[in-house]
Amino acid sequence: METKTTHTVDLSNDDRGVMFNPDEEAKAAGWGTDDPYACLAKLYDGPPVLKGALEDLMGIPRQYVSDQWGGDVYSILSFDAVNKAFMDPDTFSNRVYEKMSVTALGDTLLNMDGGKHKRMRNVSKPWFKPSFTDGWWTDKWIVDAVDELFERLMAKDHADLNLELCAPLPMSVVSTGFGIPADEALEFRKALLFHGTREEMIKGHETATRILMRLMTERRAYPQDDLISRFVQADLELEDGSTRKMADDEVMRYCNLIVHAGGGTTWRQLGITIMALLNHPEQMEALRNDRSLMRATIQEVTRWYPTDTAFLRYVEKDTVLEGVEMKEGSVAMLCLGSANHDRTQWEDPDSFNIHRPLKRHFAFGAGPHACLGQHLSRQEMEVALGAVLDRLGDLRWNPDYPTARMSGGTLIGRGPDALHVRYTPVSG
Amino acid sequence: MHETWEQAEYRQYSCLFCGHIYDEEEGDSDSGIAPGTRWEDISDDWCCPMCSAGKADFELI
């Protein structure tokens, strides 16, 4: 008898906690949870670049900036200024993240720069390009995961889509696509939690290492159609143009980054998308009737409310941006939130409107560090949203629960607290 | 007098997803596209050297 493969993680209320509740995550990290857009409104009509930490300008508790950094801090606010900073990595580098992410994820693409970053990114670039996400990721992982999650949703008429669709889908897709079995995906993801005691983080690191070392050994002996098999066979180009195979710790750090980044951000962004459509039923109906609007819908929701409000860069040399002098050693806070609401770029930018023409924005960053997995993330959201529209008839908020609200850290990790809905299952 | 094709100004195209700019004057050395290559002469399966988006995801700027 054929054994059915499980593609997804089945989350329960007990799993909400730090990992699947944006406010709890923010609380554990010591972040404020004010809505960013209410705080940013006063900056929209001001200068494009201001000296000072974004948190101070917004009037919120410090979240990113630490006095231990030394150097000055600048806030980059307008579309043009944020674009210039993203597209000039020689001046605005990513080594600022050495102090923030290396402890948890190790030396990864996030904190690398220049040739080292390019050569390391080139290893996996073919596996995240649109044609590969439309084909391999979708056919092999996304569709099956969505179908499995909807099997559970079809058996009832109400759900918390945040916990039962948005959270498990990307975690399941990136984990199983990488080669981590679905029944170990939650354990692996928990092991990568940023927030905990030193002992908890060491224990988590040991758990992640144990799982990945086992999988790498297995895949070297018996390659499968997954990313770990591709990584252990991949060539990494070196500075002198020669190549070598990826080392175990390099594969592990790649995996840590992809599972961490791919699981969390798409979860929250898909939740924001469903929340926005439920709060704008006329736009949900328009999308239901005209799926050619799908791409514009994803582009608009990521512009209107990106899950992360700001990214950081290190100022590598004295420079002038939009007339403001910055000293080498300063930190630049690139505010995606204000740039994506720039009055000179969009009409009525604070409104959610899926009928806008397609236009570039910064939800996934830009330049050489533009999100590696953005095409995968968009594809996951499109397939999931299509299933929501096809299979959850008469979709509406569940009046038995409090109204969903945006939650999480003001500058990072925003998303709905829950998405309690009622619906009529549509079969076929 | 009309410009000839060779004399026409080089154009730039920007990637919708990452902002990478294809400048006809510079080409794309990573993909083996010589300087001066016009947008129309680039293969449809060429993709953004930065984020791998397709040629159709570029717009004239």
Side-chain angles (χ1 to χ4, degrees):
Chain A
M1 185 177 146
E2 189 180 346
T3 306
K4 191 177 177 192
T5 306
T6 300
H7 297 277
T8 58
V9 178
D10 192 4
L11 301 178
S12 71
N13 274 325
D14 295 339
D15 294 314
R16 286 183 190 275
V18 174
M19 201 157 70
F20 295 113
N21 180 313
D23 270 352
E24 290 293 319
E25 181 185 28
K27 192 174 154 190
W31 301 333
T33 56
D34 301 86
D35 182 83
Y37 295 96
C39 306
L40 285 171
K42 60 190 172 196
L43 302 174
Y44 287 148
D45 296 320
V49 177
L50 284 169
K51 187 172 183 180
L54 187 57
E55 294 100 320
D56 297 348
L57 298 172
M58 293 170 73
I60 60 171
R62 290 276 180 100
Q63 183 166 326
Y64 268 133
V65 174
S66 160
D67 290 334
Q68 296 173 340
W69 282 5
D72 294 326
V73 181
Y74 293 86
S75 296
I76 319 296
L77 300 164
S78 72
F79 182 95
D80 285 340
V82 167
N83 188 48
K84 285 175 184 167
F86 270 134
M87 302 307 284
D88 181 7
D90 292 338
T91 306
F92 298 94
S93 79
N94 267 51
R95 79 169 149 125
V96 67
Y97 287 106
E98 284 175 4
K99 295 182 179 179
M100 305 178 69
S101 69
V102 171
T103 313
L105 296 173
D107 187 27
T108 69
L109 290 176
L110 196 59
N111 59 276
M112 292 178 186
D113 285 299
K116 181 183 176 186
H117 170 260
K118 185 177 179 181
R119 291 189 297 275
M120 186 59 81
R121 185 168 164 129
N122 280 347
V123 171
S124 68
K125 215 163 75 169
W127 313 327
F128 291 95
K129 63 183 184 182
S131 58
F132 202 74
T133 57
D134 290 354
W136 187 82
W137 280 101
T138 301
D139 298 343
K140 193 167 173 63
W141 307 107
I142 300 173
V143 169
D144 284 347
V146 167
D147 281 348
E148 199 170 288
L149 292 169
F150 271 82
E151 267 180 39
R152 297 172 200 155
L153 295 173
M154 291 295 96
K156 51 189 189 172
D157 63 2
H158 66 283
D160 173 5
L161 294 182
N162 206 30
L163 192 69
E164 296 172 65
L165 174 65
C166 303
L169 175 64
M171 186 172 64
S172 304
V173 167
V174 292
S175 301
T176 54
F178 219 96
I180 300 166
D183 58 6
E184 282 183 297
L186 189 57
E187 182 188 11
F188 185 81
R189 182 64 185 81
K190 281 180 177 171
L192 297 180
L193 278 178
F194 271 172
H195 320 298
T197 63
R198 181 173 167 74
E199 289 70 28
E200 286 170 334
M201 289 182 75
I202 290 172
K203 192 177 171 194
H205 179 73
E206 288 171 354
T207 301
T209 302
R210 171 177 52 78
I211 293 172
L212 285 176
M213 286 301 290
R214 188 196 81 227
L215 291 170
M216 284 191 289
T217 303
E218 288 174 5
R219 296 304 193 271
R220 283 201 176 93
Y222 304 103
Q224 308 270 319
D225 190 10
D226 57 33
L227 287 200
I228 289 184
S229 300
R230 285 175 164 81
F231 268 114
V232 298
Q233 297 171 60
D235 290 321
L236 171 67
E237 186 188 349
L238 305 179
E239 200 168 357
D240 63 3
S242 63
T243 61
R244 64 163 169 80
K245 296 296 176 195
M246 293 277 284
D248 285 353
D249 65 322
E250 289 167 337
V251 177
M252 281 197 284
R253 292 197 297 267
Y254 236 122
C255 184
N256 291 350
L257 177 66
I258 290 170
V259 172
H260 189 274
T265 51
T266 305
W267 152 47
R268 298 187 198 92
Q269 200 69 59
L270 178 57
I272 293 168
T273 308
I274 293 172
M275 182 174 174
L277 290 171
L278 279 161
N279 286 337
H280 296 82
E282 74 292 349
Q283 295 193 47
M284 181 153 67
E285 202 52 30
L287 177 62
R288 190 191 304 279
N289 295 328
D290 180 3
R291 300 304 168 86
S292 70
L293 289 168
M294 185 65 84
R295 196 166 184 235
T297 298
I298 302 301
Q299 189 71 355
E300 171 64 357
V301 79
T302 47
R303 177 202 71 80
W304 176 69
Y305 212 113
T307 183
D308 294 334
T309 315
F311 290 166
L312 305 180
R313 291 293 185 265
Y314 182 83
V315 181
E316 291 285 348
K317 53 192 175 192
D318 291 355
T319 190
V320 178
L321 182 62
E322 302 288 357
V324 176
E325 291 183 14
M326 297 180 185
K327 290 285 184 196
E328 175 189 343
S330 302
V331 169
M333 303 184 76
L334 281 56
C335 186
L336 324 179
S338 58
N340 281 6
H341 286 235
D342 189 320
R343 272 66 185 136
T344 68
Q345 300 290 321
W346 287 277
E347 189 177 336
D348 192 15
D350 300 335
S351 296
F352 172 70
N353 179 4
I354 65 172
H355 300 288
R356 292 181 196 277
L358 280 176
K359 176 176 162 57
R360 188 164 76 91
H361 59 64
F362 302 114
F364 293 96
H369 279 276
C371 175
L372 174 70
Q374 67 168 300
H375 305 301
L376 173 60
S377 176
R378 290 173 195 275
Q379 187 69 7
E380 287 177 272
M381 289 194 275
E382 287 193 15
V383 175
L385 204 48
V388 166
L389 296 170
D390 287 336
R391 301 170 76 171
L392 305 183
D394 192 22
L395 183 65
R396 61 204 184 277
W397 290 118
N398 187 339
D400 297 338
Y401 287 88
T403 307
R405 61 180 180 79
M406 219 66 94
S407 59
T410 303
L411 298 185
I412 188 168
R414 290 199 72 75
D417 59 340
L419 293 169
H420 288 289
V421 296
R422 286 198 167 277
Y423 52 85
T424 304
V426 178
S427 57
Chain B
M1 192 176 112
H2 294 292
E3 288 181 314
T4 63
W5 176 246
E6 289 73 19
Q7 289 170 325
E9 282 186 9
Y10 288 117
R11 295 163 299 178
Q12 294 182 324
Y13 292 80
S14 173
C15 175
L16 176 67
F17 296 117
C18 75
H20 173 75
I21 292 173
Y22 175 78
D23 186 330
E24 291 179 331
E25 187 171 12
E26 295 178 3
D28 172 18
S29 58
D30 283 355
S31 308
I33 296 176
T37 304
R38 295 292 180 179
W39 185 248
E40 293 80 4
D41 297 330
I42 297 174
S43 164
D44 286 342
D45 60 6
W46 172 84
C47 61
C48 175
M50 215 173 265
C51 80
S52 306
K55 185 181 174 187
D57 293 318
F58 279 67
E59 57 186 3
L60 181 66
I61 56 174

